[in-house]
Amino acid sequence: MITVLVAGVFTITTAGAQTLADGNSNSIKESVEEFKEINATSLPETIKQDVKNDFTKAEVQEVYVNDKMEYKIILRLEETEVPKIVFANAKRGLLNIE
């Protein structure tokens, strides 16, 4: 009886985790699809200046924009091979500076 109970709990937990994983992957997929790649020269001047001020040794690799005019900017930093992703909008500038 304990074996049946443990098996039942395991099945319910696994099914719940799969549903949660599916839900998260769909959300991520939808948010990624919202952004469309644009040329870096299309960034508003205020955002270009913010990037230049906050990341003096960074090079803009890619820029994406969504319908809300929010920008996803992929930077290459001199000191690391891992790209830095920042988000911005024209009203508030860079949004996730650490």
Side-chain angles (χ1 to χ4, degrees):
M1 184 161 165
I2 293 175
T3 305
V4 173
L5 180 61
V6 171
V9 170
F10 178 75
T11 303
I12 291 169
T13 304
T14 305
Q18 183 63 39
T19 302
L20 180 61
D22 290 345
N24 287 340
S25 64
N26 288 339
S27 297
I28 292 169
K29 185 177 178 184
E30 288 170 10
S31 66
V32 169
E33 290 176 358
E34 289 179 11
F35 287 90
K36 297 188 187 320
E37 189 169 8
I38 61 169
N39 192 314
T41 59
S42 300
L43 272 173
E45 281 302 316
T46 56
I47 296 175
K48 287 180 189 177
Q49 193 61 43
D50 285 348
V51 168
K52 186 177 180 179
N53 291 340
D54 292 343
F55 301 98
T56 55
K57 295 182 179 184
E59 177 185 325
V60 176
Q61 285 188 317
E62 299 172 35
V63 178
Y64 300 86
V65 66
N66 65 15
D67 293 339
K68 299 175 189 174
M69 298 307 291
E70 297 168 331
Y71 297 88
K72 176 181 176 182
I73 306 163
I74 301 175
L75 304 171
R76 185 179 65 79
L77 305 176
E78 258 186 24
E79 57 272 0
T80 180
E81 292 294 319
V82 179
K84 171 91 174 154
I85 299 173
V86 295
F87 293 88
N89 70 30
K91 293 181 183 177
R92 295 184 293 164
L94 298 177
L95 302 175
N96 63 329
I97 302 301
E98 295 177 357

